[in-house]
Amino acid sequence: MVTYRIASIGGDGVGPEVVAAGRLVLDAVAARDGFSIEWPEVLAGGAAIDAYGAALRPEDLEAVSACDAILLGAVGGPRWDDPAGRVRPEQALFALRGGLELFANLRPVTVLPALVPSSPLRPEVLAGVDLLIVRELTSGLYFGRPSEQRDTPEGRVGIDTLIYTEEEIRRVARLAFELARGRRGRLTSVDKANVLATSRLWRVVVDELRPDYPDVEVNHQLVDSCAMLLVRRPSSFDVLVTENLFGDILSDEAAVLAGSLGMLPSASLGERRTVHGRFGLYEPVHGSAPDIVGQDAANPLGTILSAAMLLRWSLGLGAAADDVESAVRAAIDAGARTADLLPAGGDGAGIRVVGTREMTAAVVDGLGSRIGVAS
Ligand code: NAD
């Protein structure tokens, strides 16, 4: 029997609650399909600061790096919020992304028809939305140095540095081309080439890759107009690729389309492969939601859909990933809604308000038993 090793990092706030949900679903798939999962548990973020005084210990980074993949909840919370603090929870995320060279963050956004009333956008705008944002994750403005405040004769000055090497652009763009090739063959590269030198290099490098992907149609879009089109004509996008800061903002904007932040999964991938697939870190897009912690109120579906991405990308189990996504759709179609998914106008007919655990159970039920069906 194959045994996969998946590092389990609950983190802070609702993180442990939603990771428990993701693990239940993956364990149910394992029991159904005849494999097993070992779950080494690692503390990160505020929990690790409390226990060890560091957001992620080097030995824990090494331990997760030896696994097939990582399932993460979220880190952070008011207890560790001091922006001037020497150790901060989000240092764990930077250590994981940078230390494991996970340079591409994939955020798929689809709109389940049953959740259209949960989105603030009009139904006709949401029809057919199925896009994937690929955000560069380990460079750009978030990592450029210098990044500091200085006292000058003219007063205080803040400085950040936006820098990209051509190789950093090429590797994430190449992955985006490959992803577009496996989808509807359309790639939108998002930049600010009318103003920024890094964006002009970004365009050149993306264009240089075109001959390798003649089946992919590429267009360049300025980030400001892209932000507008994402809410006006979101169904016109297939794959979007962009640098770190633009991707951070656009992917949160796109979250509105899906009805709730709690629905959105993500995968962070690099080039490293294990015997089973690409090594990756999988986490919901949302944060630690301290306002609802411990209430069985967190929507687990973003994490469960992240677990589906884990099956597909890191374990090579695409059919099982499809099954998890179908089970999520079935639970929603059957009327199950965590509080964040309630339509603006009230709970409506056929809608059942459920907690984290009941939503997870509905997904597990929907997975069925392949063994049972076959026998
Ligand atoms: P948040 O995503 O935690 O919460 C925003 C709002 O969405 C809240 O009202 C919350 O209750 C709701 N929400 C979030 N996830 C939900 C879910 N699964 N189900 C139902 N409702 C959900 O963002 P925030 O409030 O800006 O940040 C809270 C903390 O999380 C901060 O410390 C922040 O630094 C951290 N954070 C961490 C990550 C991460 O670990 N990747 C990402 C974003 C924010």
Side-chain angles (χ1 to χ4, degrees), residues 34-243:
F35 61 87
S36 70
I37 303 175
E38 273 177 25
W39 294 102
E41 295 190 10
V42 165
L43 291 184
I49 292 175
D50 289 350
Y52 316 123
L56 186 72
R57 298 185 302 176
E59 57 265 47
D60 287 332
L61 182 62
E62 206 173 305
V64 299
S65 152
C67 293
D68 295 308
I70 303 168
L71 186 64
L72 177 110
V75 299
R79 269 181 59 198
W80 309 277
D81 250 1
D82 177 8
R86 194 183 50 82
V87 284
R88 296 190 312 280
E90 59 274 18
Q91 288 166 347
L93 300 178
F94 295 134
L96 287 165
R97 293 165 181 170
L100 302 171
E101 290 186 73
L102 303 171
F103 59 80
N105 182 233
L106 279 56
R107 292 187 173 190
V109 180
T110 48
V111 182
L112 301 184
L115 289 184
V116 165
S118 306
S119 171
L121 299 183
R122 289 200 309 274
E124 60 271 28
V125 174
L126 295 171
V129 170
D130 178 10
L131 60 89
L132 172 65
I133 297 182
V134 181
R135 165 190 171 194
E136 200 291 324
L137 203 57
T138 52
S139 185
L141 210 48
Y142 294 13
F143 291 87
R145 294 290 175 271
S147 171
E148 62 198 30
Q149 271 191 38
R150 290 179 191 161
D151 292 319
T152 74
E154 290 78 39
R156 285 171 298 171
V157 172
I159 301 172
D160 291 294
T161 305
L162 176 52
I163 179 165
Y164 267 103
T165 67
E166 61 176 304
E167 185 45 33
E168 286 168 341
I169 300 169
R170 191 176 297 116
R171 64 187 185 178
V172 71
R174 193 174 279 289
L175 179 62
F177 268 103
E178 280 164 17
L179 290 162
R181 173 175 269 179
R183 291 171 48 102
R184 300 194 301 282
R186 291 210 313 272
L187 178 63
T188 305
S189 174
V190 183
D191 61 41
K192 188 72 181 164
N194 52 342
V195 179
L196 299 174
T198 43
S199 282
R200 287 191 285 276
L201 178 64
W202 185 280
R203 270 195 192 201
V204 168
V205 173
V206 168
D207 283 339
E208 284 168 357
L209 290 172
R210 282 180 193 245
D212 293 350
Y213 302 90
D215 47 334
V216 175
E217 181 196 319
V218 182
N219 80 299
H220 297 284
Q221 185 91 53
L222 292 175
V223 63
D224 37 0
S225 60
C226 182
M228 188 185 66
L229 288 172
L230 261 180
V231 284
R232 289 191 77 154
R233 284 195 280 118
S235 61
S236 65
F237 292 106
D238 182 9
V239 178
L240 297 96
V241 63
T242 190
E243 61 96 76

Side-chain angles (χ1 to χ4, degrees), residues 9 27 34 115 174 193 242 258 263 285 332 343:
I9 308 184
D27 281 336
L115 289 184
R174 193 174 279 289
T242 190
M263 286 302 295
V285 168
I332 293 287

Side-chain angles (χ1 to χ4, degrees), residues 74-77 81 93 261-262 283 285-292 297-299 340:
V75 299
D81 250 1
L93 300 178
L261 204 51
E283 58 182 318
V285 168
H286 64 78
S288 61
D291 50 332
I292 56 168
N299 183 346
D340 57 304

